Amino acid sequence: MDTVFIIINIAIMLLFIGILIGMQQKYVSFSKRVFAGLGLGILLGAFLQIVYSADSEVVSATTDWYNIVGRGYVRLLMMIVIPLVMVSIIQSIINLEKSSELGKMSAWIIGILVSTAMVAAVVGVTSSSIFNLSADQIEMGQAEEERGLALEERLGSLEGMTTPQKILEFIPSNIFLDMTGERATSVIAVVIFSILVGIAVLGVRRKQPEQAEKFVDIVNTLYTIVMRIVTIILRLAPFGILGLMANTVAQTNVAGIIELGKFVGASYVALITMFIIHMIILAFFGLNPLTYTRKVLPVLSFAFTSRSSAGTIPLTIQVQKESLGVHSGTANMAASFGATIGQNGCAGIYPAMLAVMIAPTQGIDPLSPGFLIPLILIIGISSFGVAGVGGGATFAALIVLSSMNLPVALAGLLITVEPLIDMGRTALNVNDSILSGTLTSKIMKKLNIKKYNDKEAINKDLAV
């Protein structure tokens, strides 16, 4: 009988996909199709949750099939990330008017990412304090206890690494290995390699211009092809969001959310507050926050459902270039760096909240300057190299908590609500990437203000 129910659920998914295809054939805008996919996914997930319950065999088997649409789309995006980052950065550097611009661009992007991560830490501390969160309020079940033990074992491999050693992990020793995305810092390693290639081409151009131009032609051709592949994949975003959201809602542990509702509420208050701070920063630089929000919402919706900053890189680049008028090189660099550096949600708010919750159990006043100042500085430093996929927040929390000499088991206690909170964290991470690119482009006087303010400025290729 279960097989019949599974077939019915798959048929409903196919029906919803048909609705999205119909919208595409009627030339409904990309943004509207993205939000339609999000809404249909919530409805479908709620249907599965209500009719079968989250832990039923039918839901488990059904979500396996839905993963072909949802996680399959994320895999397609991950597939193109490394080629996109490599070709985009090389192409951007060889088209720079002055090589000195590269250093300024990188410094501004990284500076904005890290500084906002430290601000996010302050927001996380404040939210935890207002909600009076404490590790003592959370009960440990078997699953949580096992997760806590696993994290403590994982910590063993991190405790021996000093800050210089962590930074050393960025430098590639085998670029072909990093092209597979094998390491958490693979994207940054590819960025470094691509920058070296671009700088080398600038040097060859001065001494052997004919040879340089041959390479430039090849890179420009590759860039055009890669961007076309990106466009083809991005057109599938509404379907991917449909599958991802359906699975997320269907498998949500409602009882766990209710039990840890206070932590979930505090987390989202902090995430929303930080997003508002992003908007205030935009306004300070003379940019309309409402225009910005309207243009980036489809990208943030995908980041929310996919929980992958790295997987969102292609969309992050596209929205900066095509909708916000960000300089191409800046957009590529900001999206690449933002996937692993200074993530406001995963590396800023989350570790800060956990540290404040754990501190009282160790006899430490979490609001004392002697605790807060080192915490914020450590979060800023450790925000380098956080993996831009699911689990990055846990990795950041392990580094911060161990650096503050605090137990790490609390991260295991939050296993039931981790996916729900991670959705909001990822959306904030991606927004910070876009923010850093937009502000850097504005600071360096390379932002196309006319395109930024044009409400119709979107990627036309995605509209069909």
Side-chain angles (χ1 to χ4, degrees), residues 9-284:
N9 297 335
I10 294 172
I12 296 173
M13 166 67 86
L14 293 175
L15 174 64
F16 285 178
I17 290 175
I19 292 173
L20 293 174
I21 292 174
M23 293 176 69
Q24 181 173 337
Q25 291 175 340
K26 291 179 181 179
Y27 301 102
V28 175
S29 71
F30 179 72
S31 297
K32 291 180 180 177
R33 284 186 280 125
V34 164
F35 287 114
L38 183 66
L40 291 173
I42 292 173
L43 286 176
L44 184 52
F47 166 77
L48 296 178
Q49 176 85 241
I50 294 169
V51 175
Y52 306 105
S53 81
D55 56 355
S56 70
E57 290 293 331
V58 173
V59 168
S60 177
T62 298
T63 51
D64 269 351
W65 284 99
Y66 287 4
N67 273 332
I68 296 175
V69 178
R71 303 313 303 180
Y73 178 67
V74 175
R75 286 188 173 218
L76 286 175
L77 284 170
M78 294 297 292
M79 171 193 74
I80 199 64
V81 164
I82 295 298
L84 175 62
V85 169
M86 179 175 289
V87 177
S88 297
I89 289 179
I90 293 174
Q91 199 250 13
S92 300
I93 292 174
I94 61 181
N95 289 330
L96 284 176
E97 295 177 4
K98 300 176 182 178
S99 57
S100 60
E101 292 179 350
L102 178 62
K104 294 178 183 178
M105 181 196 307
S106 301
W108 274 112
I109 291 171
I110 294 174
I112 292 169
L113 290 170
V114 174
S115 59
T116 52
M118 296 172 75
V119 173
V122 175
V123 171
V125 169
T126 304
S127 183
S128 291
S129 301
I130 291 174
F131 281 81
N132 195 28
L133 297 179
S134 173
D136 293 334
Q137 300 169 352
I138 303 175
E139 296 181 4
M140 180 181 289
Q142 182 178 352
E144 289 79 11
E145 187 174 353
E146 291 176 354
R147 173 79 180 277
L149 291 173
L151 292 179
E152 288 177 348
E153 289 178 6
R154 184 179 179 186
L155 178 62
S157 63
L158 298 175
E159 281 184 320
M161 292 183 67
T162 63
T163 298
Q165 288 172 335
K166 293 169 187 172
I167 295 174
L168 188 62
E169 285 296 301
F170 296 150
I171 302 175
S173 59
N174 183 345
I175 192 59
F176 296 104
L177 174 68
D178 286 316
M179 286 181 186
T180 67
E182 182 67 21
R183 302 188 302 141
T185 55
S186 283
V187 173
I188 297 297
V190 171
V191 168
I192 292 173
F193 176 77
S194 303
I195 290 173
L196 288 174
V197 172
I199 293 173
V201 174
L202 294 179
V204 172
R205 181 180 282 164
R206 288 193 294 269
K207 297 181 179 180
Q208 297 174 287
E210 300 85 3
Q211 296 296 323
E213 287 309 309
K214 290 179 182 178
F215 184 79
V216 169
D217 289 341
I218 293 173
V219 170
N220 285 334
T221 301
L222 285 174
Y223 178 79
T224 302
I225 294 171
V226 168
M227 291 309 297
R228 188 59 189 169
I229 295 173
V230 169
T231 299
I232 293 170
I233 295 174
L234 294 190
R235 285 182 180 178
L236 302 174
F239 309 108
I241 289 174
L242 166 63
L244 290 166
M245 202 65 206
N247 277 3
T248 299
V249 175
Q251 296 176 316
T252 296
N253 185 336
V254 178
I257 293 173
I258 294 173
E259 182 181 343
L260 296 172
K262 194 176 178 182
F263 180 77
V264 174
S267 297
Y268 272 91
V269 165
L271 293 169
I272 293 170
T273 299
M274 195 60 208
F275 181 82
I276 293 172
I277 290 174
H278 286 178
M279 298 303 101
I280 293 172
I281 294 172
L282 279 170
F284 179 79

Side-chain angles (χ1 to χ4, degrees), residues 307-328:
R307 296 169 53 202
S308 173
S309 298
T312 314
I313 286 177
L315 287 86
T316 307
I317 292 174
Q318 287 287 83
V319 75
Q320 289 182 78
K321 290 167 50 181
E322 304 297 338
S323 300
L324 298 173
V326 175
H327 176 255
S328 176

